[in-house]
Amino acid sequence: MSTQHGTPHDSRRSRGMFRTKTVEQSILDTEEPEHTLRKSLSALDLTVFGVGVVIGTGIFVLTGKIAKEQAGPSVALSFVVAGVVCALAALCYAEFASTVPVAGSAYTFSYASLGELPAWIIGWDLILELALGCAVVAVGWSGYIRSLLDSAGLHLPPALSGTHEGHFGFDLLATILVLVLTGILVLGMKLSSRVTAVVVGIKVTVVLLVIIAGAFLINGANYEPFIPPSQPSETGGGLAAPLSQLIFGFSPSHFGTMGIFAAAAVVFFAFIGFDIVATAAEETRHPQRDVPRGILGSLAICTVLYVAVSVVVTGMQKYSKLSTDAPLADAFKDLGQPFFASVISFGAAVGLTSVCMILLLGQSRVFFAMSRDGLLPRIFSRAHPRFGTPYRSTIVLGVIVAVVAGFTSIDELAELVNIGTLFAFVVVAVGVVLLRRSRPDLHRSFRTPWVPVVPALSVLASVWLMLNLPAETWLRFAIWMVAGFVIYFLYGRSHSRLGLRSRQAGKD
């Protein structure tokens, strides 16, 4: 790859808070001995990571819940719509990850196209998204395991069972899970990918078993009507209402044609995580070829599985009779198949293990990349001399997440994960267009088709879904972003390696 350091183009782009870091410099920084991550992943490993983080409890719970409350049997179409929205973002991610194969995902992409301050903001956003998401998943996993233990006659004392239903306690199981997975991630990406492959193999087998078994229990009459008549939804008022309702006076509806799209805004969140594949680009042997395959391949697999499960569950039981807690498991129970209900509970518990691990992996890579650039303390950007992993950032973040998962009931904050992801989608889509214009000379192993149409559609779709989130979620997100601005101006701006290089060269 040809380098163009020090060209007039670079000089113009290196001033102030919106100075950009060239693609060549980003790649050059990955070659510093003590900051180099080991390359050990293949396209199959990346696809497994993608499937591992996307396929969680959503496939066992969300499909039936949304069918009952939002779309009826047409929830299958809602998953298709959500899959298309994610595919638009995935095409943008694939171009960036193959062009800038560096740890950090949307943070790194933003640094190369939008500038340092936007990159910091998206990196700060990703740390919140992935850390909080991991804590939420760990608490959910703990709940499944406690349920299985209770079934076996083993009971944890309330003081060690977490905070729920007004009772304050320490969630021992969630904390142990996060600490164990942190240790596995420190020991190496190849070990992490092998553990993930085993877990993903188990839960995909469970999903396929459910689909095949459920197909023999389908009653065609349950699909009528496929699109139930429209009904106005009751979302409540104030900050609990969707932002679109407060701004435009638009009230979303259940069922009907609009219900399909309203449901898509909800089931979209079942797809969150495929973008984490991009965070592992620096640890991939052939990133230009394999990262796009991993991103698009995992998204395609997950979309097919979600649609298949939604078709099966609404065919097994009338959508209006589905339970909202464990619809798929309860549908099997109601049809006299308790064995498959137990299999589903086991698959959900196993599945959450890989989700938690990959969220930890993603956040540690973003933190590592920001530290390597000097926007966070450089001490966290050292790679382990033996395992080639960002062990310091992994350990610090792992301990923080373990504490949050152990002491906090954070169900009401889970939607911050969703708004953070959608914000990243918007930034990456805009960045693709800007980098095409500012650096048309770059070699792009994968090119997003129909630019700027596809990125524009990705931005519009993501913003629409963001507007369907409660106003209180936007308020919390704004508070976190303000805190990020404060840290950047107090620390990041003055310690930025790019800024230091510019000042040494007499550019600032």
Side-chain angles (χ1 to χ4, degrees), residues 28 50 82 102 108 155 166 192 206 209 234 242 244 261 267 296 326 331 334 337 341 378 382 398 422 441 492:
L28 195 63
V102 177
T108 300
H155 307 285
S192 304
V206 170
L209 184 63
E234 298 178 2
S244 60
F261 294 99
V267 301
L296 298 172
D334 291 344
Q337 301 290 335
R378 290 266 290 167
R382 299 286 178 89
L422 288 164
D441 57 300

Side-chain angles (χ1 to χ4, degrees), residues 412-483:
E412 70 279 3
L413 298 182
E415 284 176 331
L416 276 171
V417 179
N418 306 330
I419 195 171
T421 299
L422 288 164
F423 180 58
F425 284 5
V426 170
V427 170
V428 169
V430 172
V432 165
V433 177
L434 293 179
L435 197 62
R436 283 278 188 101
R437 291 181 177 178
S438 64
R439 294 297 307 275
D441 57 300
L442 281 176
H443 172 67
R444 293 167 169 84
S445 301
F446 180 92
R447 297 178 68 88
T448 303
W450 305 311
V451 171
V453 175
V454 167
L457 290 175
S458 180
V459 169
L460 291 174
S462 298
V463 170
W464 176 73
L465 292 178
M466 290 173 76
L467 290 175
N468 279 276
L469 289 169
E472 59 188 357
T473 299
W474 282 82
L475 181 60
R476 294 185 183 115
F477 183 65
I479 292 172
W480 178 260
M481 289 294 104
V482 168

Side-chain angles (χ1 to χ4, degrees), residues 103-167:
S105 185
Y107 159 76
T108 300
F109 308 156
S110 300
Y111 216 157
S113 56
L114 298 172
E116 184 172 281
L117 180 59
W120 162 267
I121 290 302
I122 196 65
W124 185 245
D125 161 59
L126 288 173
I127 290 174
L128 170 72
E129 169 202 336
L130 300 175
L132 190 59
C134 182
V136 170
V137 169
V139 171
W141 177 88
S142 174
Y144 273 101
I145 297 301
R146 286 198 307 272
S147 177
L148 291 173
L149 290 175
D150 290 341
S151 299
L154 301 173
H155 307 285
L156 280 177
L160 298 178
S161 298
T163 301
H164 52 85
E165 297 178 357
H167 171 76

Side-chain angles (χ1 to χ4, degrees), residues 70-335:
Q70 294 273 3
S74 62
V75 68
L77 299 180
S78 300
F79 274 109
V80 173
V81 171
V84 170
V85 173
C86 289
L88 293 171
L91 290 169
C92 298
Y93 269 90
E95 173 170 326
F96 255 134
S98 62
T99 307
V100 195
V102 177
S105 185
Y107 159 76
T108 300
F109 308 156
S110 300
Y111 216 157
S113 56
L114 298 172
E116 184 172 281
L117 180 59
W120 162 267
I121 290 302
I122 196 65
W124 185 245
D125 161 59
L126 288 173
I127 290 174
L128 170 72
E129 169 202 336
L130 300 175
L132 190 59
C134 182
V136 170
V137 169
V139 171
W141 177 88
S142 174
Y144 273 101
I145 297 301
R146 286 198 307 272
S147 177
L148 291 173
L149 290 175
D150 290 341
S151 299
L154 301 173
H155 307 285
L156 280 177
L160 298 178
S161 298
T163 301
H164 52 85
E165 297 178 357
H167 171 76
F168 178 80
F170 175 70
D171 198 327
L172 178 65
L173 294 177
T175 300
I176 290 175
L177 173 69
V178 173
L179 293 178
V180 169
L181 295 180
T182 297
I184 293 174
L185 288 171
V186 167
L187 293 177
M189 278 294 283
K190 198 61 186 176
L191 174 62
S192 304
S193 67
R194 286 170 181 165
V195 171
T196 303
V198 172
V199 172
V200 171
I202 293 172
K203 70 177 175 182
V204 169
T205 300
V206 170
V207 171
L208 293 175
L209 184 63
V210 166
I211 293 171
I212 295 170
F216 289 98
L217 301 172
I218 288 176
N219 180 356
N222 291 331
Y223 292 127
E224 299 175 5
F226 187 73
I227 303 179
S230 178
Q231 301 175 14
S233 63
E234 298 178 2
T235 58
L239 294 178
L243 190 63
S244 60
Q245 182 175 334
L246 297 179
I247 295 176
F248 307 113
F250 168 74
S251 181
S253 62
H254 291 326
F255 307 113
T257 303
M258 287 305 297
I260 295 174
F261 294 99
V266 180
V267 301
F268 162 82
F269 305 131
F271 288 93
I272 285 177
F274 74 86
D275 53 315
I276 289 182
V277 173
T279 68
E282 191 175 326
E283 294 159 276
T284 304
R285 287 192 291 268
H286 305 289
Q288 288 82 3
R289 179 194 69 190
D290 291 345
V291 173
R293 290 179 179 179
I295 292 174
L296 298 172
S298 59
L299 181 59
I301 291 170
C302 294
T303 302
V304 170
L305 291 177
Y306 274 130
V307 171
V309 168
S310 62
V311 169
V312 166
V313 71
T314 53
M316 288 172 58
Q317 193 171 44
K318 190 71 174 178
Y319 73 90
S320 57
K321 296 181 180 179
L322 290 168
S323 74
T324 56
D325 293 329
L328 199 53
D330 289 344
F332 274 104
K333 285 181 182 179
D334 291 344
L335 294 174

